[in-house]
Every structure is written in C-alpha cells, then in structure tokens.
Amino acid sequence: MQIGQVIRQYRKKKDMTQEEMANRLGVTAPAVNKWENGNSMPDITLLAPIARLLDISLDTLLSFREELTQEEIQDIIQTVYSMLREKPFAEAFEWAKEKIEQYPNCEPLYLEAAVLLNAERMKQADTDERYETTINQWYTMALGSEQEQIRTMAADRLFHFYLDKKQYDKAEEYLTYFSEQNPERKRKQAVIYSRTDRREEAYKTYEELLLSMYQMTILLLRSIWMLAQQDQNMDKVRMIVEKASALEEIFDMGEYHKVLWRHELAIMEQDAETVITTMQQMLTNLDDINHFTESSLFEHMTFQANSEELRAQLREDIMKAFRDEETYGFLKGDSRWEDLKN
C-alpha cells in the first residue's frame, strides 16, 4: 500500500476531512489530495506529524507494517495454488517468497502460504532443506502475532514438525503458545508423554481430557434441554433426554445419572408412575452416584472418596427436594409419594 493510500485510510477512520487534516498540518487541502492520489509525497519533515495526527506509527505510515485485506490475501494464496498446479514447485515457492518479502508483517499471508507450500512439498516428497527452513521461519514469525488463532496455528505446525523429527523437547516448547484452557495443549502434551514412554502420565492426561469433555457435553445438553423446555418443544426435550442417558452409559456415570434425566422428563410430563419409579431408583443408586470413579475408563485418575457425612447430607438434600410440593404437587393424594416422603 502506498503512503497516500495509508493516509486516506487512516484519515477516514478518524472521520477527518482533507481540509481538517491540512489545517492541522499547516498545508493546503490540495496538497493532501495530491498525497492521497499518489501525485506527490509529503515532505520528510511532515512524516512524524502525520503519523501522530492519524494515531499510527511511522512503520504503518510508510507501509513497513503492511495491512492486506482478507480478499487480497486470498487472491495471493489462490495464485500460489494455481501455480503449484501448473508450474514447478520452485517457481511457485519463489513467487510466494517475493510476495511475503513485500509484505513482511502480514502474518496471515505468510502463515497461509507456509501451510499451502508445506503440504505440497510433503505431497511431492521434496526433501530440499531450504524450503523446509524457510517455511519454518514463516511459522516462527507468525508466533509473534497478536491474534491467538494465528499464534496457535503456527505453534501447531511447528509442534508437529518437531514431533515427526522425534525432537520431543523442542516440540514441547510450542505448547506454551496454547492457553491453559485450550484442551489441545493437554492433548498434545499427552502425545509427547506417549512418545517418550511416560505411559502412566499419558493415560492420566487423556482420561482427564475425556472426563472434562463429558462434563462440558452434559452441560451443553442440559442448556439445550432447558431452552427446549422453555419453548415447550417436547420432541426436542425427549431427544435430549435420550442422548444424555446414552452419554451417561458411555462414560460409566452409573444408574443414578441415567435415571435422573428420565425423572426430570417425567416431572415435566406429570407422569406420576414414572416419577415414583425413578424416585425409588435414584434413592437405591444414591451410594453409586460417583460410579465413574471406579470405572476402568478413568483408572489412572485419583479421586477422593465421599465421606459418610457427605453421603448422608446428599441423601438429606434429595429427600428435601422430593418433598417440594411446588415440583411434586401433582402427586398429592398418591400414597406412594407420602410413604416416600416419610
């Protein structure tokens, strides 16, 4: 982008007219117009005042830190793709390299170019280390991006590069570019554990991820279930109950959790027979509420056992919930409910 285009772009961002800008800089409006149309250049003594006025750096003003639109980036990438289909790899690579040198701070450009060219290089089984080195340099440059998506994509590529090279310590360095909350960081760490004969740590890490994925999935299903309930969409409510019950089975959560979903559906439908039956089943299976802690699915994880006091408190809380007349008022007069409450 030429300096005039930069001036026009940032002037308009500040809702400033050419006349206002000219007055602030002590020049004429036609002078500003000539800059923006590429007919002349600002005097070197005006560069710093222009940058301050537009709230940009001199690097940005002089296009050292280039900004391309997403459409422009895609046009360049599409050209590289077409060249890879029609011309030798070396020619396409050099053309892309020249473009990146023209826009050295356009992180999305060199990241996408690196992904495309590396895929083609591997497809052709090209072992030329010059290409490999340059592509990895582009990935490394992208690690400094302010955009998390760009940083993590570059880190992912470098992680797999060193993983394939069996340089596990180097691969592990790139995990720091993933946030602590990103499950991909933990999954990649487990891959390194498994590749370096730390099998117990690998098992445990995978199992922790599995359990957290279950918890998140159940939370999302319950949120959808509540929305469907508010919308009185009973077909969707029943579907969610069916899916959630199957999930409880898959993850070895035990009978209590499966029954709970059917119990809540029966309350909505005021199905007295099912409500009473599921109440009894929930009480019967209450001591097995943490069934998953004994499952071989999570055998490498350590769980704290529930104390007698905690189990007693849980039973008391459930009995208190079962006595709630606002929820179970439709059971009034049913002797089974009265017996269960007492």
Side-chain angles (χ1 to χ4, degrees), residues 179-224:
S179 71
E180 293 283 356
Q181 293 73 35
N182 190 337
E184 267 300 286
R185 175 170 178 162
K186 203 163 191 175
R187 188 190 69 79
K188 285 177 165 58
Q189 183 67 69
V191 170
I192 291 178
Y193 287 151
S194 65
R195 297 281 185 93
T196 53
D197 293 327
R198 290 178 280 178
R199 306 192 71 76
E200 287 295 313
E201 293 168 277
Y203 272 122
K204 184 183 179 204
T205 305
Y206 281 133
E207 289 170 10
E208 288 172 349
L209 273 173
L210 198 61
L211 184 57
S212 67
M213 288 176 65
Y214 155 79
Q215 292 166 337
M216 176 56 72
T217 305
I218 283 293
L219 178 63
L220 293 173
L221 284 173
R222 183 162 288 279
S223 299
I224 296 171

Side-chain angles (χ1 to χ4, degrees), residues 91-179:
E91 189 172 335
F93 185 91
E94 287 303 321
W95 188 88
K97 188 168 178 287
E98 287 177 10
K99 281 294 179 184
I100 287 170
E101 288 169 353
Q102 290 176 33
Y103 307 102
N105 290 297
C106 186
E107 295 143 351
L109 173 62
Y110 49 73
L111 178 60
E112 291 193 41
V115 171
L116 176 59
L117 289 164
N118 195 49
E120 184 65 24
R121 183 182 69 85
M122 295 177 70
K123 180 180 173 183
Q124 296 184 13
D126 193 313
T127 58
D128 191 326
E129 290 188 3
R130 292 175 303 168
Y131 299 136
E132 183 178 274
T133 299
T134 301
I135 288 170
N136 282 348
Q137 285 175 348
W138 294 342
Y139 287 142
T140 303
M141 288 162 61
L143 292 173
S145 174
E146 295 178 358
Q147 298 181 44
E148 183 180 0
Q149 184 179 6
I150 291 177
R151 291 197 307 271
T152 54
M153 185 181 294
D156 177 78
R157 300 291 172 163
L158 288 165
F159 169 84
H160 284 288
F161 172 78
Y162 288 107
L163 191 72
D164 291 342
K165 297 280 188 183
K166 298 184 180 180
Q167 297 181 31
Y168 302 119
D169 289 344
K170 187 68 176 176
E172 196 166 6
E173 291 177 14
Y174 294 99
L175 298 185
T176 59
Y177 290 92
F178 295 82
S179 71

